[in-house]
Amino acid sequence: MQIHIDHGYLEYERAGQGVPLLFIHGYPLSRRIWDAQLDGLAGQALMVAMDLRGHGDSFPFEGPYMMDLLAEDCQKVLEHAHIRPPVVVCGLSMGGYITMALYRKYPQLFKGMILTSTRAGADTPEGKASRQASIVDVIEFGAGYIASGMSQKIVSPYTLSTQPTLVKTINGIMAKTSVQGIVGALQGMMERPDSTATLKEVNCPVLILHGVDDQLIPIKEAEKMRRVTPHSRLVRIQQAGHLLNMEQPEHFNQAISKYLSTLDQA
Ligand code: MLT
């Protein structure tokens, strides 16, 4: 499905029946990372998986993509998809930064929050410098260059050696991202605020999911979020890295399924 905004469009899809659940992918990925969830959770959740601006099949808008702007896009997609709040929002990595921005704007939208492979803190000066270098690289060499640089680290060493087809699929998803999308997301992430204070105030149940072998955002970041977030639980997924939902879909889906059933009872 397509929603027209700002002289461009966003693509999204709906699947399943049950608890409303919005999936927000990370950088530089697309809604395709959620295929195993759209399939595996269809009996329990009414899911919306969207392509963020500049990513997947969405229009390659010029950046910067501030996290607030991306959060507004998510809200528009939910409205367009006729999803009645409250909803559960599941964000992976940059999708987690967007989820926290969405909570700041629309806390009443949330029935639950799932933070996966993400962190609360803002970028360090070194982190910002590395994003600047990536902006120069993507403009000069294209998305394929960024994709091949990330593909060794975006999954766990175990996945890298046991699931070569999955690694190729992920590489293809990243390489398809527009240059505008990569630049816009990097610019937006560099400027994002620290969300620790937001997490302290979240008053819905929060599930934190993290791969034990995440090489991009170490699990200690998830442990920090767990400590500051009042109604939260951390599930550590073994033999999984940054894309745990693709690397260990059964364990990931089981954790979400259990969480959704506790929400139903609440
Ligand atoms: C992501 O997967 O969205 C990124 O690794 C997040 C980041 O670069 O901070």
Side-chain angles (χ1 to χ4, degrees):
M1 274 170 269
Q2 197 174 75
I3 166 173
H4 287 262
I5 52 154
D6 303 345
H7 308 292
Y9 52 86
L10 301 173
E11 290 286 346
Y12 70 92
E13 65 196 78
R14 272 173 66 125
Q17 291 180 29
V19 185
L21 171 57
L22 171 69
F23 284 116
I24 314 175
H25 63 77
Y27 154 92
L29 296 156
S30 79
R31 70 185 196 276
R32 291 278 65 87
I33 71 164
W34 303 113
D35 283 352
Q37 283 67 54
L38 295 175
D39 193 29
L41 295 168
Q44 205 180 358
L46 164 56
M47 295 165 284
V48 173
M50 59 184 288
D51 283 341
L52 293 168
R53 51 174 70 207
H55 294 71
D57 299 321
S58 289
F59 184 80
F61 295 91
E62 291 295 333
Y65 303 166
M66 306 310 278
M67 297 302 109
D68 277 356
L69 173 72
L70 297 176
E72 288 293 345
D73 288 350
C74 293
Q75 200 272 337
K76 286 177 190 158
V77 165
L78 283 174
E79 237 177 56
H80 192 263
H82 303 293
I83 304 292
R84 209 175 304 147
V87 304
V88 177
V89 181
C90 173
L92 181 140
S93 201
M94 179 176 75
Y97 311 155
I98 300 165
T99 302
M100 293 181 261
L102 189 64
Y103 190 85
R104 276 191 287 278
K105 281 179 171 290
Y106 304 107
Q108 72 288 356
L109 191 74
F110 282 73
K111 181 181 178 73
M113 184 186 286
I114 304 173
L115 295 170
T116 185
S117 313
T118 195
R119 54 155 56 97
D123 275 4
T124 59
E126 299 74 41
K128 288 187 190 204
S130 146
R131 295 206 198 273
Q132 273 303 353
S134 297
I135 290 174
V136 172
D137 284 345
V138 72
I139 291 169
E140 189 164 356
F141 305 116
Y145 181 83
I146 299 289
S148 56
M150 285 182 77
S151 62
Q152 304 292 305
K153 287 205 184 143
I154 204 158
V155 294
S156 66
Y158 175 79
T159 302
L160 201 57
S161 64
T162 56
Q163 298 196 65
T165 313
L166 179 64
V167 175
K168 214 170 147 199
T169 302
I170 294 167
N171 195 66
I173 294 173
M174 293 194 289
K176 194 185 162 198
T177 309
S178 66
V179 170
Q180 290 93 324
I182 292 181
V183 172
L186 287 166
Q187 290 170 329
M189 285 193 287
M190 275 169 75
E191 299 304 326
R192 77 183 192 282
D194 188 311
S195 291
T196 307
T198 307
L199 287 184
K200 286 183 182 164
E201 286 180 4
V202 172
N203 64 9
C204 61
V206 179
L207 174 65
I208 302 170
L209 286 164
H210 217 94
V212 167
D213 302 318
D214 190 330
Q215 305 181 76
L216 294 182
I217 299 187
I219 193 156
K220 68 174 194 312
E221 297 291 343
E223 287 159 357
K224 271 197 238 168
M225 292 196 300
R226 162 70 197 93
R227 282 196 294 275
V228 299
T229 313
H231 315 281
S232 66
R233 178 160 175 261
L234 167 61
V235 175
R236 299 169 175 82
I237 308 273
Q238 303 295 324
Q239 295 187 319
H242 199 58
L243 294 185
L244 64 168
N245 61 314
M246 299 179 90
E247 300 176 63
Q248 296 290 344
E250 279 174 23
H251 292 298
F252 187 89
N253 288 358
Q254 256 169 30
I256 294 204
S257 177
K258 197 169 157 198
Y259 168 77
L260 293 179
S261 12
T262 58
L263 284 185
D264 276 348
Q265 286 154 15

PDB file of all heavy atoms in Angstrom, residues 144-166:
ATOM      1  N   GLY A 144      25.985   0.292  -2.420  1.00  0.00           N
ATOM      2  CA  GLY A 144      26.610  -1.035  -2.408  1.00  0.00           C
ATOM      3  C   GLY A 144      27.877  -1.040  -1.549  1.00  0.00           C
ATOM      4  O   GLY A 144      28.178  -2.026  -0.867  1.00  0.00           O
ATOM      5  N   TYR A 145      28.560   0.067  -1.551  1.00  0.00           N
ATOM      6  CA  TYR A 145      29.802   0.183  -0.781  1.00  0.00           C
ATOM      7  C   TYR A 145      29.495   0.141   0.730  1.00  0.00           C
ATOM      8  O   TYR A 145      30.157  -0.562   1.493  1.00  0.00           O
ATOM      9  CB  TYR A 145      30.488   1.504  -1.153  1.00  0.00           C
ATOM     10  CG  TYR A 145      31.789   1.743  -0.444  1.00  0.00           C
ATOM     11  CD1 TYR A 145      32.981   1.181  -0.911  1.00  0.00           C
ATOM     12  CD2 TYR A 145      31.845   2.531   0.708  1.00  0.00           C
ATOM     13  CE1 TYR A 145      34.181   1.399  -0.253  1.00  0.00           C
ATOM     14  CE2 TYR A 145      33.040   2.758   1.374  1.00  0.00           C
ATOM     15  CZ  TYR A 145      34.199   2.189   0.883  1.00  0.00           C
ATOM     16  OH  TYR A 145      35.383   2.401   1.542  1.00  0.00           O
ATOM     17  N   ILE A 146      28.468   0.888   1.115  1.00  0.00           N
ATOM     18  CA  ILE A 146      28.056   0.910   2.533  1.00  0.00           C
ATOM     19  C   ILE A 146      27.581  -0.487   2.934  1.00  0.00           C
ATOM     20  O   ILE A 146      27.925  -1.012   3.992  1.00  0.00           O
ATOM     21  CB  ILE A 146      26.913   1.946   2.749  1.00  0.00           C
ATOM     22  CG1 ILE A 146      27.379   3.355   2.394  1.00  0.00           C
ATOM     23  CG2 ILE A 146      26.323   1.875   4.150  1.00  0.00           C
ATOM     24  CD1 ILE A 146      28.364   3.984   3.352  1.00  0.00           C
ATOM     25  N   ALA A 147      26.786  -1.111   2.023  1.00  0.00           N
ATOM     26  CA  ALA A 147      26.236  -2.444   2.313  1.00  0.00           C
ATOM     27  C   ALA A 147      27.358  -3.452   2.528  1.00  0.00           C
ATOM     28  O   ALA A 147      27.333  -4.217   3.497  1.00  0.00           O
ATOM     29  CB  ALA A 147      25.323  -2.887   1.174  1.00  0.00           C
ATOM     30  N   SER A 148      28.364  -3.435   1.655  1.00  0.00           N
ATOM     31  CA  SER A 148      29.391  -4.473   1.831  1.00  0.00           C
ATOM     32  C   SER A 148      30.236  -4.194   3.063  1.00  0.00           C
ATOM     33  O   SER A 148      30.689  -5.127   3.721  1.00  0.00           O
ATOM     34  CB  SER A 148      30.245  -4.678   0.570  1.00  0.00           C
ATOM     35  OG  SER A 148      30.814  -3.464   0.211  1.00  0.00           O
ATOM     36  N   GLY A 149      30.363  -2.915   3.444  1.00  0.00           N
ATOM     37  CA  GLY A 149      31.083  -2.594   4.685  1.00  0.00           C
ATOM     38  C   GLY A 149      30.334  -3.084   5.917  1.00  0.00           C
ATOM     39  O   GLY A 149      30.935  -3.473   6.915  1.00  0.00           O
ATOM     40  N   MET A 150      28.992  -3.068   5.852  1.00  0.00           N
ATOM     41  CA  MET A 150      28.202  -3.427   7.037  1.00  0.00           C
ATOM     42  C   MET A 150      27.876  -4.911   7.112  1.00  0.00           C
ATOM     43  O   MET A 150      27.582  -5.433   8.193  1.00  0.00           O
ATOM     44  CB  MET A 150      26.881  -2.644   7.042  1.00  0.00           C
ATOM     45  CG  MET A 150      27.039  -1.184   7.424  1.00  0.00           C
ATOM     46  SD  MET A 150      25.445  -0.319   7.461  1.00  0.00           S
ATOM     47  CE  MET A 150      24.741  -0.885   9.024  1.00  0.00           C
ATOM     48  N   SER A 151      27.881  -5.602   5.961  1.00  0.00           N
ATOM     49  CA  SER A 151      27.278  -6.939   5.960  1.00  0.00           C
ATOM     50  C   SER A 151      28.029  -7.959   6.830  1.00  0.00           C
ATOM     51  O   SER A 151      27.422  -8.907   7.310  1.00  0.00           O
ATOM     52  CB  SER A 151      27.074  -7.464   4.540  1.00  0.00           C
ATOM     53  OG  SER A 151      28.306  -7.565   3.915  1.00  0.00           O
ATOM     54  N   GLN A 152      29.316  -7.734   7.082  1.00  0.00           N
ATOM     55  CA  GLN A 152      30.055  -8.660   7.950  1.00  0.00           C
ATOM     56  C   GLN A 152      29.708  -8.454   9.426  1.00  0.00           C
ATOM     57  O   GLN A 152      29.881  -9.353  10.243  1.00  0.00           O
ATOM     58  CB  GLN A 152      31.576  -8.451   7.802  1.00  0.00           C
ATOM     59  CG  GLN A 152      32.095  -8.567   6.379  1.00  0.00           C
ATOM     60  CD  GLN A 152      31.983  -9.999   5.854  1.00  0.00           C
ATOM     61  OE1 GLN A 152      32.492 -10.924   6.466  1.00  0.00           O
ATOM     62  NE2 GLN A 152      31.293 -10.160   4.738  1.00  0.00           N
ATOM     63  N   LYS A 153      29.265  -7.230   9.750  1.00  0.00           N
ATOM     64  CA  LYS A 153      29.060  -6.910  11.169  1.00  0.00           C
ATOM     65  C   LYS A 153      27.592  -6.900  11.577  1.00  0.00           C
ATOM     66  O   LYS A 153      27.278  -6.863  12.767  1.00  0.00           O
ATOM     67  CB  LYS A 153      29.612  -5.504  11.451  1.00  0.00           C
ATOM     68  CG  LYS A 153      31.128  -5.449  11.450  1.00  0.00           C
ATOM     69  CD  LYS A 153      31.572  -4.275  12.296  1.00  0.00           C
ATOM     70  CE  LYS A 153      33.083  -4.125  12.254  1.00  0.00           C
ATOM     71  NZ  LYS A 153      33.473  -2.721  12.238  1.00  0.00           N
ATOM     72  N   ILE A 154      26.697  -6.913  10.594  1.00  0.00           N
ATOM     73  CA  ILE A 154      25.281  -6.720  10.937  1.00  0.00           C
ATOM     74  C   ILE A 154      24.642  -7.993  11.493  1.00  0.00           C
ATOM     75  O   ILE A 154      23.562  -7.956  12.073  1.00  0.00           O
ATOM     76  CB  ILE A 154      24.508  -6.121   9.730  1.00  0.00           C
ATOM     77  CG1 ILE A 154      23.260  -5.372  10.228  1.00  0.00           C
ATOM     78  CG2 ILE A 154      24.163  -7.173   8.688  1.00  0.00           C
ATOM     79  CD1 ILE A 154      22.726  -4.337   9.285  1.00  0.00           C
ATOM     80  N   VAL A 155      25.326  -9.127  11.308  1.00  0.00           N
ATOM     81  CA  VAL A 155      24.851 -10.384  11.919  1.00  0.00           C
ATOM     82  C   VAL A 155      25.944 -10.915  12.846  1.00  0.00           C
ATOM     83  O   VAL A 155      27.063 -10.398  12.860  1.00  0.00           O
ATOM     84  CB  VAL A 155      24.499 -11.445  10.837  1.00  0.00           C
ATOM     85  CG1 VAL A 155      23.307 -11.002  10.007  1.00  0.00           C
ATOM     86  CG2 VAL A 155      25.695 -11.745   9.955  1.00  0.00           C
ATOM     87  N   SER A 156      25.609 -11.964  13.590  1.00  0.00           N
ATOM     88  CA  SER A 156      26.590 -12.555  14.504  1.00  0.00           C
ATOM     89  C   SER A 156      27.611 -13.363  13.705  1.00  0.00           C
ATOM     90  O   SER A 156      27.320 -13.805  12.578  1.00  0.00           O
ATOM     91  CB  SER A 156      25.880 -13.491  15.480  1.00  0.00           C
ATOM     92  OG  SER A 156      25.351 -14.587  14.762  1.00  0.00           O
ATOM     93  N   PRO A 157      28.792 -13.604  14.271  1.00  0.00           N
ATOM     94  CA  PRO A 157      29.767 -14.473  13.597  1.00  0.00           C
ATOM     95  C   PRO A 157      29.157 -15.851  13.280  1.00  0.00           C
ATOM     96  O   PRO A 157      29.430 -16.440  12.233  1.00  0.00           O
ATOM     97  CB  PRO A 157      30.912 -14.598  14.617  1.00  0.00           C
ATOM     98  CG  PRO A 157      30.788 -13.346  15.448  1.00  0.00           C
ATOM     99  CD  PRO A 157      29.320 -13.021  15.503  1.00  0.00           C
ATOM    100  N   TYR A 158      28.274 -16.338  14.174  1.00  0.00           N
ATOM    101  CA  TYR A 158      27.640 -17.637  13.956  1.00  0.00           C
ATOM    102  C   TYR A 158      26.775 -17.606  12.695  1.00  0.00           C
ATOM    103  O   TYR A 158      26.861 -18.484  11.838  1.00  0.00           O
ATOM    104  CB  TYR A 158      26.787 -17.992  15.190  1.00  0.00           C
ATOM    105  CG  TYR A 158      25.984 -19.259  15.035  1.00  0.00           C
ATOM    106  CD1 TYR A 158      26.584 -20.509  15.189  1.00  0.00           C
ATOM    107  CD2 TYR A 158      24.622 -19.203  14.739  1.00  0.00           C
ATOM    108  CE1 TYR A 158      25.841 -21.669  15.029  1.00  0.00           C
ATOM    109  CE2 TYR A 158      23.876 -20.362  14.586  1.00  0.00           C
ATOM    110  CZ  TYR A 158      24.491 -21.593  14.734  1.00  0.00           C
ATOM    111  OH  TYR A 158      23.751 -22.732  14.580  1.00  0.00           O
ATOM    112  N   THR A 159      25.956 -16.558  12.569  1.00  0.00           N
ATOM    113  CA  THR A 159      25.093 -16.441  11.385  1.00  0.00           C
ATOM    114  C   THR A 159      25.936 -16.289  10.125  1.00  0.00           C
ATOM    115  O   THR A 159      25.631 -16.877   9.079  1.00  0.00           O
ATOM    116  CB  THR A 159      24.139 -15.226  11.539  1.00  0.00           C
ATOM    117  OG1 THR A 159      23.374 -15.418  12.718  1.00  0.00           O
ATOM    118  CG2 THR A 159      23.212 -15.072  10.346  1.00  0.00           C
ATOM    119  N   LEU A 160      26.999 -15.508  10.257  1.00  0.00           N
ATOM    120  CA  LEU A 160      27.868 -15.271   9.101  1.00  0.00           C
ATOM    121  C   LEU A 160      28.411 -16.593   8.544  1.00  0.00           C
ATOM    122  O   LEU A 160      28.475 -16.792   7.336  1.00  0.00           O
ATOM    123  CB  LEU A 160      29.027 -14.358   9.547  1.00  0.00           C
ATOM    124  CG  LEU A 160      29.768 -13.581   8.489  1.00  0.00           C
ATOM    125  CD1 LEU A 160      28.833 -12.692   7.678  1.00  0.00           C
ATOM    126  CD2 LEU A 160      30.842 -12.711   9.153  1.00  0.00           C
ATOM    127  N   SER A 161      28.748 -17.522   9.449  1.00  0.00           N
ATOM    128  CA  SER A 161      29.314 -18.770   8.957  1.00  0.00           C
ATOM    129  C   SER A 161      28.259 -19.828   8.622  1.00  0.00           C
ATOM    130  O   SER A 161      28.526 -20.733   7.839  1.00  0.00           O
ATOM    131  CB  SER A 161      30.346 -19.337   9.950  1.00  0.00           C
ATOM    132  OG  SER A 161      29.688 -19.652  11.142  1.00  0.00           O
ATOM    133  N   THR A 162      27.060 -19.708   9.196  1.00  0.00           N
ATOM    134  CA  THR A 162      26.073 -20.779   8.966  1.00  0.00           C
ATOM    135  C   THR A 162      24.951 -20.408   7.997  1.00  0.00           C
ATOM    136  O   THR A 162      24.246 -21.290   7.516  1.00  0.00           O
ATOM    137  CB  THR A 162      25.414 -21.222  10.301  1.00  0.00           C
ATOM    138  OG1 THR A 162      24.833 -20.063  10.915  1.00  0.00           O
ATOM    139  CG2 THR A 162      26.417 -21.858  11.243  1.00  0.00           C
ATOM    140  N   GLN A 163      24.748 -19.102   7.748  1.00  0.00           N
ATOM    141  CA  GLN A 163      23.600 -18.719   6.905  1.00  0.00           C
ATOM    142  C   GLN A 163      24.025 -17.767   5.776  1.00  0.00           C
ATOM    143  O   GLN A 163      23.593 -16.595   5.747  1.00  0.00           O
ATOM    144  CB  GLN A 163      22.525 -18.031   7.750  1.00  0.00           C
ATOM    145  CG  GLN A 163      21.939 -18.913   8.857  1.00  0.00           C
ATOM    146  CD  GLN A 163      20.631 -18.329   9.400  1.00  0.00           C
ATOM    147  OE1 GLN A 163      19.632 -18.243   8.689  1.00  0.00           O
ATOM    148  NE2 GLN A 163      20.635 -17.912  10.649  1.00  0.00           N
ATOM    149  N   PRO A 164      24.866 -18.246   4.844  1.00  0.00           N
ATOM    150  CA  PRO A 164      25.346 -17.352   3.779  1.00  0.00           C
ATOM    151  C   PRO A 164      24.229 -16.764   2.911  1.00  0.00           C
ATOM    152  O   PRO A 164      24.327 -15.622   2.466  1.00  0.00           O
ATOM    153  CB  PRO A 164      26.284 -18.254   2.952  1.00  0.00           C
ATOM    154  CG  PRO A 164      25.988 -19.652   3.380  1.00  0.00           C
ATOM    155  CD  PRO A 164      25.426 -19.597   4.767  1.00  0.00           C
ATOM    156  N   THR A 165      23.146 -17.521   2.742  1.00  0.00           N
ATOM    157  CA  THR A 165      22.048 -17.005   1.898  1.00  0.00           C
ATOM    158  C   THR A 165      21.382 -15.811   2.578  1.00  0.00           C
ATOM    159  O   THR A 165      21.040 -14.812   1.926  1.00  0.00           O
ATOM    160  CB  THR A 165      20.997 -18.113   1.649  1.00  0.00           C
ATOM    161  OG1 THR A 165      21.704 -19.283   1.270  1.00  0.00           O
ATOM    162  CG2 THR A 165      20.015 -17.741   0.575  1.00  0.00           C
ATOM    163  N   LEU A 166      21.210 -15.924   3.892  1.00  0.00           N
ATOM    164  CA  LEU A 166      20.603 -14.813   4.637  1.00  0.00           C
ATOM    165  C   LEU A 166      21.497 -13.564   4.550  1.00  0.00           C
ATOM    166  O   LEU A 166      21.010 -12.446   4.338  1.00  0.00           O
ATOM    167  CB  LEU A 166      20.388 -15.214   6.104  1.00  0.00           C
ATOM    168  CG  LEU A 166      19.787 -14.127   6.994  1.00  0.00           C
ATOM    169  CD1 LEU A 166      18.380 -13.747   6.546  1.00  0.00           C
ATOM    170  CD2 LEU A 166      19.762 -14.550   8.459  1.00  0.00           C
TER     171      LEU A 166
END
